[in-house]
Every structure is written in structure tokens, then in C-alpha cells.
Amino acid sequence: MSEQVDLRASDPQLSGRLVECRDFFDLPELKHLPADRKAQALAEMRRAGTYVQTPEEILIGAKLAWRNHARCVGRKHWRTLKLIDARDATTAEAIAQACFEHLRVATNGGALQSIVTVGPTPLPDGREYRIISPQLIRYAGYRAVDGAVTGDPAHLELTQLATKLGWRGKGTDFDVLPLMISTPDEPIRWFDIPRELVMEVPLEHPNYRWFAGLELKWHAVPAVSNMDLEIGGVRYPCAPFNGWYVNTEVGARNFSDQDRYDMLPAIAKKLRLDMSSDRTLWKDRALVELNRAVIHSFRESGAYMVDHHTVAKQFVDHVDRETEAGRKCPTDWAWVNPPMSSGITPTFHRLYDPPDMDIRPNFVSRGALGCPFS
Ligand code: ARG
């Protein structure tokens, strides 16, 4: 039962936040909180424009944000999320330390754990604490005068920014970029990530010895750091979170996209495939071997990763269980299907609740640069 509360405010943004606050405390997942908590939060919000959430509220909110996020195929595991409460990290240095702690706990020696680190809310005047880097771990990209790119072409701009700030990369294909952090009172600062916190997997193939000679590797932990976490009318712009990789993210996108590492031609050559025409399916065959190498290598290194068949099964399972629980599961079909072999995974053959990006709590994109599908 929801008693009548006056949610009108002269500032339309404030009334929007009041509505979100009310809706949050009305969720069944928060029914166990003290009876006056909602009224108290609403009053504080009305008076101060925001309110202080408890760690429990943030953790529940973050789990629901994950469960609500239409583009995530890994949502079956939403209950396992753990919180690092870093709201007292109000300097770039302190935020960097919290991110390092995040990587340590998330990597967990290869047995990856899903973590969200929640940093400070924006100041009353709107200035905020933000991680500029799209993920905690990203590889630099450098364009030479002849136009050739070394490293990850997706991060040319980010690398230029780091360089402008005084960072110097070695110039290899896999230089880990520094964390770049912006706070209200400091210019953007950068922090090298301690080597021991960056678990990496050298790629080798279970059958082809030459594969290791390509000298490819990838980092074990995908930790997205450029999305806002929105809970109960409160926005956390500094809220890096991680799950674990699906092989296709690395094998069928990062190493295969023509505007990323673009490795299919080199692999097809090594496989001595007939590359004279697209119709020989040389790209498709190289793609499969590359993905086998990714899955095999992560397993060999002890870094947890899921394959696209297994995650698809887990996801449709999750959708069914959500339906049984009487909940909607807004889903973006194009995002939950893998970028290879989608038709032989169960996610392909279904319709879903429409991908409602407006439901809250949620992780919200800050209009990231580049491709809408990465
Ligand atoms: N696709 C991104 C990458 O290749 C990672 C996005 C988040 N992925 C995840 N499995 N949680 O780095």
C-alpha cells in the first residue's frame, strides 16, 4: 500500500527524482526497511535535492540496476554482486586507490567476482567525480605518421588525452592505459595501474602451435567505468562495475572487428585458407579458431570466462525465471545475441520485453564515444 505523498516540486528535475525515490522505496526488495525510511528519504531529497543512501540500499539498488539492464546477457548472476562503498573517496588519488582495490577483489586470482565500486555523488552545484576511462583496464592505441595503428584503435583518442596529460606509453600493442580521473577540484589526473593488478591471458590455440607466435593477449577483467548508476533518484557518476568476459567479446569483436585489432586476415593466412573470395568463408573459419584460442587460453590461465553457448542458455533460463516471478525482463535482442553463431544459441529464437532503458535502478550510458555495440 502506497500512502499519498506530495511529489510536486517547482523544479521539474527535483520532482522527477522524488518520483524515483518513492518508486525505489516501494519496490518489494526494500519492503523490509523501517516504515518511515521512505518518508525520511523524500523529505531529505525535497530539502537538500538529494539524500544519503545506506550501503544496503546502494547494494540492493545496484543489483536491481544490473537485473534491469536490457543490454546485459549475464544477468542471471545479478544476486552475486558485491559492493565497495567508496563514497568517501573525494580526491582523484582516493578514487584511484578504490579502483585498485576493486581490481584486486574482482580478479580474485582468476576466480572473477562481480563488484561495483560506488564513489561520491555530484556536488550540489553539479560538478562531479568521474572516471574518464571507459573501463578500468584498456589498451592504448597509437597512430603512426603513415596512418598505421599500433595497439587498440578504439583508444586512439583516450591515448592522446593520456599523452597530453604527461603519460608515456611504451608503444606496444598492449600498453595498459592509466586510469584517468576527473574531480571537481583538480585537473584530470592519471594513475598507472600496478602491474600485479592487471591479470592478462596470453593467447594460444589448443591445436595450432603457431598461434602463440601472434603474441596476442587480453586482460581478464572487463570493468566498465563510464556509466552512471542511478538508484532511487540518486545518480552515481563514479561507479565502475565488472562481470566476466564472454569469449566473443574478445574473439569476435576486440580481435576481429576491422576497426579494432583486425586479426582475421593474419589468422586465415596462417591457416592457409583460400582468401580469394568471401564465399570461401575464410573469415568465418578464422573467427572460430580465434574464439577457440580465447576460450582455451582463459581456461589454461585460470581466468574465468563463459562461452557464448553457455551464457545464452543461462540468459534464457534467467528470463523464464523472471517471468515466473512475475517480473518484466526488458531486453535488447541485438545486444544479448553473440556476434558469431547467434542462430545456434537460444537467445536468437525468442522475443523479449522491450528494452526499456528508462526503468530504474539502472546503469545509464553517458554517451560513450565510438561503436554503439561495444
Ligand atoms: N565488450 C567489452 C570489452 O570487450 C566489455 C563489456 C562488459 N562485458 C562484460 N562481460 N561484463 O571489453
Side-chain angles (χ1 to χ4, degrees), residues 78-366:
W78 65 274
R79 284 183 190 82
T80 67
L81 187 66
K82 290 186 177 60
L83 169 70
I84 297 178
D85 184 354
R87 284 176 291 169
D88 59 355
T90 50
T91 60
E93 172 74 44
I95 292 171
Q97 289 305 327
C99 292
F100 297 161
E101 178 61 11
H102 182 134
L103 283 175
R104 199 183 338 265
V105 182
T107 309
N108 192 28
L112 269 56
Q113 309 197 80
S114 294
I115 308 287
V116 61
T117 294
V118 172
T121 49
L123 300 180
D125 64 11
R127 289 179 301 154
E128 41 186 61
Y129 302 82
R130 273 195 301 127
I131 300 172
I132 310 267
S133 321
Q135 286 188 33
L136 300 184
I137 303 173
R138 296 279 73 184
Y139 293 123
Y142 313 89
R143 192 186 294 284
V145 272
D146 65 355
V149 172
T150 302
D152 194 338
H155 303 132
L156 288 168
E157 241 181 88
L158 199 63
T159 306
Q160 272 175 8
L161 174 62
T163 308
K164 202 180 88 193
L165 298 173
W167 175 79
R168 288 290 167 270
K170 288 206 175 68
T172 77
D173 277 322
F174 300 101
D175 293 348
V176 175
L177 280 163
L179 253 189
M180 288 179 262
I181 296 171
S182 135
T183 63
D185 297 315
E186 303 163 276
I188 299 174
R189 293 192 55 197
W190 59 269
F191 302 86
D192 270 321
I193 304 175
R195 285 301 325 164
E196 69 273 17
L197 295 182
V198 184
M199 183 178 194
E200 291 183 300
V201 176
L203 296 195
E204 56 180 35
H205 192 282
N207 307 124
Y208 303 122
R209 294 266 298 271
W210 52 261
F211 200 99
L214 297 170
E215 298 190 355
L216 303 179
K217 61 175 174 178
W218 203 256
H219 54 91
V221 180
V224 172
S225 50
N226 63 353
M227 292 175 89
D228 291 355
L229 171 56
E230 295 193 6
I231 301 172
V234 177
R235 192 170 61 90
Y236 298 96
C238 176
F241 61 89
N242 76 281
W244 43 79
Y245 268 117
V246 184
N247 61 284
T248 46
E249 301 184 83
V250 178
R253 300 298 312 276
N254 303 348
F255 282 128
S256 295
D257 280 6
Q258 287 187 293
D259 57 2
R260 298 293 297 285
Y261 282 80
D262 191 20
M263 290 305 297
L264 296 183
I267 293 167
K269 264 184 216 128
K270 284 291 198 180
L271 287 166
R272 301 177 196 277
L273 301 181
D274 174 1
M275 297 168 68
S276 63
S277 154
D278 282 351
R279 288 182 301 109
T280 69
L281 301 191
W282 63 268
K283 288 183 218 171
D284 312 66
R285 295 177 64 188
L287 182 62
V288 169
E289 297 311 332
L290 170 53
N291 277 273
R292 287 184 68 207
V294 170
I295 293 169
H296 166 85
S297 309
F298 270 67
R299 173 65 63 98
E300 285 290 299
S301 297
Y304 187 71
M305 155 175 282
V306 65
D307 66 84
H308 52 285
H309 299 285
T310 303
V311 80
K313 268 198 226 97
Q314 291 174 349
F315 183 69
V316 295
D317 220 60
H318 167 72
V319 174
D320 288 342
R321 291 215 265 145
E322 288 297 288
T323 310
E324 275 163 34
R327 289 193 288 260
K328 292 242 174 296
C329 187
T331 297
D332 191 333
W333 190 95
W335 276 71
V336 297
N337 273 290
M340 66 186 281
S341 310
S342 37
I344 50 173
T345 67
T347 42
F348 187 90
H349 303 275
R350 298 187 55 140
L351 293 172
Y352 302 96
D353 291 321
D356 180 358
M357 306 305 266
D358 289 334
I359 55 166
R360 295 291 181 270
N362 219 321
F363 288 99
V364 182
S365 257
R366 270 204 300 270

Side-chain angles (χ1 to χ4, degrees), residues 18-67:
L18 287 165
V19 170
E20 279 182 30
C21 176
R22 177 205 55 195
D23 292 350
F24 179 58
F25 288 103
D26 282 344
L27 288 171
E29 288 80 1
L30 289 159
K31 275 284 134 66
H32 62 286
L33 296 185
D36 60 347
R37 174 55 180 147
K38 177 171 84 176
Q40 185 206 357
L42 282 168
E44 197 179 329
M45 175 84 105
R46 185 181 285 289
R47 182 165 33 81
T50 186
Y51 63 101
V52 179
Q53 295 176 331
T54 65
E56 186 197 11
E57 288 160 3
I58 297 181
L59 179 57
I60 296 173
K63 287 180 180 177
L64 299 183
W66 185 3
R67 193 178 81 191

